[in-house]
Structures are given as structure tokens and as C-alpha cells.
Amino acid sequence: FKIAGASTVFAFSKPLYTLDLKEFGKIEDFQLSPGKNPSVAVFIPGQKGNPAYIKVYSLPNVKSPVSQKQFFKGESCTFKWNALGTSILALVSTDVDSTNKSYYGETQLYLLDISGLFDQKIHLPNEGPIHEITWSPTSREFAVIYGYMPAVTTFFDSRGNSIHSLPKAPRNTILYLSLIHI
């Protein structure tokens, strides 16, 4: 697999797919999905007044993205696929907070799926950084810890709808435990 413009290249004897996104800028990060139907998500940071992009391609079709999001304020990105490889969370951040409320910059969370039916920003009602994002083992929901400490923990369904929030507490890690019945 080869992505033109990416800083990391996997060396194979002959690439199976070539994804050329030079017209959008330098690819900062990318991640292949797990699951039976592979997809690749790429992040292209915004620069010189141009927007940042997240694009998801379903392999082997690399001609056009199945899902994409365009936005401003994006310098780096961390991807988290669900276990099925059907949806991805993109934690986008900047080094500087334009409002000067945080020393650590700004963070935004986006949810995209491989069907192309939805791509959206996850709206979090409290201001502050996003500390943790985690998919449940079932891939049907995800959790986010966000806001200034003490932080809020909110659980969302796979479409990004809030389903439950925990009271504010000093948390920064989410772990889903599997219980095995014998």
C-alpha cells in the first residue's frame, strides 16, 4: 500500500493501491481499518488558510472517498476505528487555543462511517480538552472524557447521539471490561 505524500511508507515489492492526494496537501496521518472490508482513513492538515480534511476510502476503490469531512483548525489527528472497521473517530487538535483558554491547544472530535451515510462533528456541551475516546468492544457505542477537570464522561451510540453521561469527576481513562461467565 502506498500513499503519495505520506511521511510513512510501507515498503512492499509492488503497491496494491496508490492513493494520490497531493492536490490537497501533505498527508499527516493515515490508518487502515480492521475488519473484513478494509478501508483507509487519511488526515490532511489545514495550511495557509486552506481547510483540513479527513477522507475515508474503501479498498480497493481509491478513486473517490466514501466519507469525508472538511474543517478549519486541524493540525494533527488521532484515529480510532471501531472493532468492525465500519466507523472511525478522529480526534483533531491544534497546538494553540485561539481563545487562550487552554495551554494545550484545542481538540475536536469527528465521527465518520464507511457507508458514506454520515460524517459529523461530535458536539460536546462543556468547554475544554478531550482527554480520552474509546469504542466499546461491540462497536455499537463509544465514550468520551472531555472538559476541564473535573471532566465529564459521555457515552454515544454509533451515530453520535448522546445516550448517557456520568457526573463530573477527575477521570482521564476509559476501559471496557469483558466479563466471562463460567
Side-chain angles (χ1 to χ4, degrees):
F1 189 77
K2 178 182 175 187
I3 298 180
S7 57
T8 303
V9 175
F10 293 99
F12 296 104
S13 59
K14 180 181 173 189
L16 296 174
Y17 313 105
T18 300
L19 182 59
D20 189 356
L21 299 172
K22 289 179 197 171
E23 66 185 84
F24 294 103
K26 180 183 175 191
I27 294 172
E28 181 71 26
D29 199 4
F30 68 94
Q31 191 172 67
L32 292 170
S33 71
K36 295 179 182 179
N37 302 313
S39 296
V40 62
V42 297
F43 171 70
I44 301 151
Q47 41 187 316
K48 298 178 185 170
N50 292 326
Y53 293 92
I54 298 169
K55 294 177 177 277
V56 178
Y57 295 85
S58 183
L59 303 178
N61 178 17
V62 293
K63 298 291 183 205
S64 60
V66 292
S67 189
Q68 62 183 343
K69 194 71 180 166
Q70 175 182 324
F71 50 90
F72 289 93
K73 294 186 180 182
E75 295 173 359
S76 63
C77 180
T78 302
F79 290 120
K80 286 206 179 183
W81 284 98
N82 66 6
L84 298 174
T86 56
S87 294
I88 191 168
L89 292 169
L91 179 59
V92 177
S93 60
T94 60
D95 291 334
V96 177
D97 180 357
S98 59
T99 64
N100 288 324
K101 291 183 180 179
S102 173
Y103 173 80
Y104 301 103
E106 295 177 85
T107 53
Q108 302 294 326
L109 184 61
Y110 297 92
L111 172 65
L112 296 93
D113 78 329
I114 62 167
S115 69
L117 295 177
F118 65 94
D119 57 82
Q120 64 184 21
K121 179 180 176 183
I122 301 299
H123 294 282
L124 304 171
N126 291 31
E127 287 187 357
I130 297 172
H131 305 284
E132 171 79 318
I133 56 173
T134 302
W135 282 98
S136 75
T138 64
S139 298
R140 290 192 300 246
E141 63 268 339
F142 61 92
V144 181
I145 298 176
Y146 62 95
Y148 298 110
M149 288 294 172
V152 177
T153 302
T154 301
F155 297 86
F156 296 87
D157 66 17
S158 62
R159 300 287 237 155
N161 300 309
S162 173
I163 52 177
H164 183 72
S165 288
L166 299 175
K168 287 184 175 186
R171 300 181 183 99
N172 62 5
T173 303
I174 303 165
L175 297 173
Y176 281 91
L177 301 176
S178 297
L179 299 176
I180 301 172
H181 297 283
I182 300 178

Tab-separated table of all heavy atoms in Angstrom, residues 149-180:
chain	number	residue	atom	x	y	z
A	149	MET	N	-11.025	19.767	34.181
A	149	MET	CA	-11.195	18.908	35.349
A	149	MET	C	-11.962	19.638	36.432
A	149	MET	O	-11.720	20.814	36.646
A	149	MET	CB	-9.838	18.447	35.894
A	149	MET	CG	-9.154	17.448	35.018
A	149	MET	SD	-10.115	15.922	34.984
A	149	MET	CE	-9.246	15.021	33.723
A	150	PRO	N	-12.876	18.954	37.079
A	150	PRO	CA	-13.287	17.563	36.871
A	150	PRO	C	-14.040	17.434	35.545
A	150	PRO	O	-14.851	18.281	35.191
A	150	PRO	CB	-14.189	17.250	38.056
A	150	PRO	CG	-14.673	18.573	38.549
A	150	PRO	CD	-13.626	19.584	38.179
A	151	ALA	N	-13.742	16.367	34.810
A	151	ALA	CA	-14.239	16.190	33.444
A	151	ALA	C	-15.557	15.430	33.408
A	151	ALA	O	-15.951	14.765	34.361
A	151	ALA	CB	-13.193	15.439	32.629
A	152	VAL	N	-16.220	15.518	32.259
A	152	VAL	CA	-17.478	14.817	32.002
A	152	VAL	C	-17.174	13.583	31.165
A	152	VAL	O	-16.337	13.628	30.264
A	152	VAL	CB	-18.468	15.727	31.236
A	152	VAL	CG1	-19.747	14.982	30.889
A	152	VAL	CG2	-18.779	16.973	32.032
A	153	THR	N	-17.855	12.489	31.440
A	153	THR	CA	-17.768	11.285	30.614
A	153	THR	C	-19.142	11.071	29.992
A	153	THR	O	-20.135	10.967	30.704
A	153	THR	CB	-17.375	10.052	31.448
A	153	THR	OG1	-16.128	10.316	32.083
A	153	THR	CG2	-17.255	8.816	30.571
A	154	THR	N	-19.192	11.012	28.658
A	154	THR	CA	-20.450	10.814	27.949
A	154	THR	C	-20.320	9.615	27.028
A	154	THR	O	-19.293	9.432	26.378
A	154	THR	CB	-20.832	12.067	27.142
A	154	THR	OG1	-20.951	13.180	28.032
A	154	THR	CG2	-22.151	11.883	26.406
A	155	PHE	N	-21.385	8.814	26.975
A	155	PHE	CA	-21.465	7.659	26.083
A	155	PHE	C	-22.367	8.028	24.915
A	155	PHE	O	-23.417	8.656	25.093
A	155	PHE	CB	-22.025	6.447	26.838
A	155	PHE	CG	-21.139	6.011	27.961
A	155	PHE	CD1	-21.242	6.588	29.219
A	155	PHE	CD2	-20.172	5.041	27.758
A	155	PHE	CE1	-20.411	6.203	30.251
A	155	PHE	CE2	-19.336	4.648	28.781
A	155	PHE	CZ	-19.456	5.229	30.042
A	156	PHE	N	-21.948	7.639	23.711
A	156	PHE	CA	-22.669	7.940	22.482
A	156	PHE	C	-22.978	6.644	21.744
A	156	PHE	O	-22.201	5.685	21.829
A	156	PHE	CB	-21.808	8.813	21.555
A	156	PHE	CG	-21.497	10.175	22.115
A	156	PHE	CD1	-20.402	10.362	22.942
A	156	PHE	CD2	-22.286	11.264	21.799
A	156	PHE	CE1	-20.106	11.609	23.458
A	156	PHE	CE2	-22.003	12.524	22.307
A	156	PHE	CZ	-20.909	12.696	23.139
A	157	ASP	N	-24.084	6.631	20.983
A	157	ASP	CA	-24.346	5.477	20.128
A	157	ASP	C	-23.473	5.589	18.878
A	157	ASP	O	-22.738	6.570	18.706
A	157	ASP	CB	-25.839	5.328	19.803
A	157	ASP	CG	-26.406	6.450	18.948
A	157	ASP	OD1	-25.632	7.208	18.314
A	157	ASP	OD2	-27.644	6.561	18.889
A	158	SER	N	-23.546	4.607	18.007
A	158	SER	CA	-22.662	4.568	16.839
A	158	SER	C	-22.959	5.655	15.812
A	158	SER	O	-22.203	5.840	14.863
A	158	SER	CB	-22.732	3.190	16.172
A	158	SER	OG	-24.051	2.940	15.724
A	159	ARG	N	-24.038	6.400	15.990
A	159	ARG	CA	-24.375	7.527	15.103
A	159	ARG	C	-24.015	8.873	15.720
A	159	ARG	O	-24.283	9.917	15.146
A	159	ARG	CB	-25.869	7.522	14.779
A	159	ARG	CG	-26.337	6.272	14.096
A	159	ARG	CD	-25.887	6.211	12.677
A	159	ARG	NE	-27.035	6.080	11.804
A	159	ARG	CZ	-27.029	6.473	10.550
A	159	ARG	NH1	-25.973	7.038	10.048
A	159	ARG	NH2	-28.068	6.297	9.790
A	160	GLY	N	-23.431	8.849	16.940
A	160	GLY	CA	-23.002	10.081	17.583
A	160	GLY	C	-24.046	10.735	18.452
A	160	GLY	O	-23.879	11.888	18.854
A	161	ASN	N	-25.130	10.017	18.784
A	161	ASN	CA	-26.161	10.548	19.673
A	161	ASN	C	-25.785	10.246	21.115
A	161	ASN	O	-25.459	9.111	21.457
A	161	ASN	CB	-27.520	9.913	19.361
A	161	ASN	CG	-27.951	10.175	17.942
A	161	ASN	OD1	-27.946	11.318	17.490
A	161	ASN	ND2	-28.294	9.123	17.227
A	162	SER	N	-25.870	11.257	21.969
A	162	SER	CA	-25.561	11.074	23.383
A	162	SER	C	-26.603	10.156	24.022
A	162	SER	O	-27.805	10.362	23.848
A	162	SER	CB	-25.564	12.440	24.079
A	162	SER	OG	-25.425	12.283	25.465
A	163	ILE	N	-26.128	9.138	24.759
A	163	ILE	CA	-27.073	8.219	25.397
A	163	ILE	C	-26.984	8.232	26.921
A	163	ILE	O	-27.942	7.881	27.595
A	163	ILE	CB	-26.920	6.772	24.871
A	163	ILE	CG1	-25.487	6.283	24.949
A	163	ILE	CG2	-27.442	6.663	23.457
A	163	ILE	CD1	-25.284	4.844	24.504
A	164	HIS	N	-25.838	8.670	27.471
A	164	HIS	CA	-25.714	8.724	28.933
A	164	HIS	C	-24.462	9.510	29.307
A	164	HIS	O	-23.442	9.413	28.641
A	164	HIS	CB	-25.618	7.310	29.522
A	164	HIS	CG	-25.568	7.295	31.015
A	164	HIS	ND1	-26.658	7.582	31.794
A	164	HIS	CD2	-24.542	7.041	31.871
A	164	HIS	CE1	-26.317	7.500	33.073
A	164	HIS	NE2	-25.037	7.172	33.139
A	165	SER	N	-24.556	10.278	30.379
A	165	SER	CA	-23.393	10.992	30.901
A	165	SER	C	-23.210	10.668	32.368
A	165	SER	O	-24.192	10.501	33.101
A	165	SER	CB	-23.551	12.507	30.752
A	165	SER	OG	-23.422	12.892	29.407
A	166	LEU	N	-21.970	10.591	32.790
A	166	LEU	CA	-21.637	10.386	34.195
A	166	LEU	C	-21.400	11.750	34.832
A	166	LEU	O	-21.033	12.711	34.142
A	166	LEU	CB	-20.377	9.536	34.326
A	166	LEU	CG	-20.439	8.132	33.729
A	166	LEU	CD1	-19.069	7.451	33.838
A	166	LEU	CD2	-21.507	7.297	34.410
A	167	PRO	N	-21.572	11.854	36.141
A	167	PRO	CA	-21.288	13.131	36.814
A	167	PRO	C	-19.820	13.514	36.649
A	167	PRO	O	-18.960	12.657	36.433
A	167	PRO	CB	-21.606	12.846	38.284
A	167	PRO	CG	-22.436	11.608	38.287
A	167	PRO	CD	-22.076	10.837	37.057
A	168	LYS	N	-19.552	14.795	36.769
A	168	LYS	CA	-18.176	15.276	36.663
A	168	LYS	C	-17.307	14.598	37.716
A	168	LYS	O	-17.720	14.422	38.858
A	168	LYS	CB	-18.106	16.787	36.857
A	168	LYS	CG	-18.640	17.571	35.696
A	168	LYS	CD	-18.435	19.051	35.926
A	168	LYS	CE	-18.866	19.841	34.712
A	168	LYS	NZ	-18.547	21.268	34.861
A	169	ALA	N	-16.094	14.221	37.293
A	169	ALA	CA	-15.132	13.580	38.194
A	169	ALA	C	-13.746	13.689	37.561
A	169	ALA	O	-13.627	13.878	36.354
A	169	ALA	CB	-15.498	12.115	38.420
A	170	PRO	N	-12.699	13.543	38.377
A	170	PRO	CA	-11.338	13.622	37.827
A	170	PRO	C	-10.963	12.324	37.105
A	170	PRO	O	-10.280	11.465	37.651
A	170	PRO	CB	-10.472	13.868	39.066
A	170	PRO	CG	-11.256	13.290	40.191
A	170	PRO	CD	-12.703	13.457	39.831
A	171	ARG	N	-11.416	12.177	35.862
A	171	ARG	CA	-11.151	10.976	35.051
A	171	ARG	C	-10.383	11.369	33.800
A	171	ARG	O	-10.565	12.449	33.263
A	171	ARG	CB	-12.455	10.320	34.598
A	171	ARG	CG	-13.371	9.864	35.674
A	171	ARG	CD	-14.612	9.211	35.035
A	171	ARG	NE	-15.554	8.817	36.043
A	171	ARG	CZ	-16.634	9.514	36.378
A	171	ARG	NH1	-16.919	10.634	35.746
A	171	ARG	NH2	-17.440	9.090	37.320
A	172	ASN	N	-9.559	10.416	33.303
A	172	ASN	CA	-8.897	10.633	32.026
A	172	ASN	C	-8.663	9.332	31.270
A	172	ASN	O	-7.964	9.313	30.274
A	172	ASN	CB	-7.580	11.401	32.195
A	172	ASN	CG	-6.577	10.650	33.031
A	172	ASN	OD1	-6.802	9.514	33.431
A	172	ASN	ND2	-5.468	11.290	33.319
A	173	THR	N	-9.263	8.229	31.715
A	173	THR	CA	-9.091	6.935	31.062
A	173	THR	C	-10.422	6.192	31.038
A	173	THR	O	-11.164	6.213	32.024
A	173	THR	CB	-8.051	6.070	31.810
A	173	THR	OG1	-6.828	6.797	31.875
A	173	THR	CG2	-7.818	4.748	31.107
A	174	ILE	N	-10.694	5.529	29.911
A	174	ILE	CA	-11.902	4.714	29.766
A	174	ILE	C	-11.469	3.295	29.453
A	174	ILE	O	-10.691	3.075	28.519
A	174	ILE	CB	-12.796	5.220	28.615
A	174	ILE	CG1	-13.179	6.682	28.823
A	174	ILE	CG2	-14.039	4.337	28.474
A	174	ILE	CD1	-13.751	7.337	27.589
A	175	LEU	N	-11.972	2.349	30.208
A	175	LEU	CA	-11.686	0.935	29.960
A	175	LEU	C	-12.996	0.171	29.933
A	175	LEU	O	-13.815	0.314	30.846
A	175	LEU	CB	-10.785	0.351	31.050
A	175	LEU	CG	-9.395	0.947	31.193
A	175	LEU	CD1	-8.703	0.387	32.425
A	175	LEU	CD2	-8.567	0.665	29.954
A	176	TYR	N	-13.197	-0.605	28.894
A	176	TYR	CA	-14.334	-1.517	28.852
A	176	TYR	C	-13.824	-2.874	29.308
A	176	TYR	O	-12.816	-3.371	28.804
A	176	TYR	CB	-14.891	-1.628	27.424
A	176	TYR	CG	-15.770	-0.484	27.017
A	176	TYR	CD1	-15.235	0.635	26.378
A	176	TYR	CD2	-17.133	-0.527	27.256
A	176	TYR	CE1	-16.057	1.678	25.999
A	176	TYR	CE2	-17.956	0.517	26.862
A	176	TYR	CZ	-17.402	1.619	26.246
A	176	TYR	OH	-18.211	2.652	25.862
A	177	LEU	N	-14.499	-3.465	30.269
A	177	LEU	CA	-14.093	-4.760	30.787
A	177	LEU	C	-15.001	-5.839	30.225
A	177	LEU	O	-16.211	-5.661	30.135
A	177	LEU	CB	-14.154	-4.775	32.307
A	177	LEU	CG	-13.281	-3.734	33.006
A	177	LEU	CD1	-13.507	-3.776	34.505
A	177	LEU	CD2	-11.825	-3.952	32.686
A	178	SER	N	-14.429	-6.962	29.890
A	178	SER	CA	-15.214	-8.115	29.431
A	178	SER	C	-15.372	-9.065	30.593
A	178	SER	O	-14.396	-9.465	31.230
A	178	SER	CB	-14.492	-8.824	28.296
A	178	SER	OG	-14.373	-7.982	27.191
A	179	LEU	N	-16.602	-9.403	30.873
A	179	LEU	CA	-16.879	-10.367	31.943
A	179	LEU	C	-17.152	-11.709	31.319
A	179	LEU	O	-17.976	-11.842	30.426
A	179	LEU	CB	-18.073	-9.908	32.781
A	179	LEU	CG	-17.909	-8.564	33.483
A	179	LEU	CD1	-19.195	-8.194	34.197
A	179	LEU	CD2	-16.759	-8.615	34.467
A	180	ILE	N	-16.459	-12.701	31.789
A	180	ILE	CA	-16.649	-14.055	31.269
A	180	ILE	C	-17.398	-14.872	32.309
A	180	ILE	O	-16.987	-14.963	33.462
A	180	ILE	CB	-15.275	-14.716	30.968
A	180	ILE	CG1	-14.520	-13.882	29.942
A	180	ILE	CG2	-15.453	-16.146	30.511
A	180	ILE	CD1	-13.106	-14.330	29.722
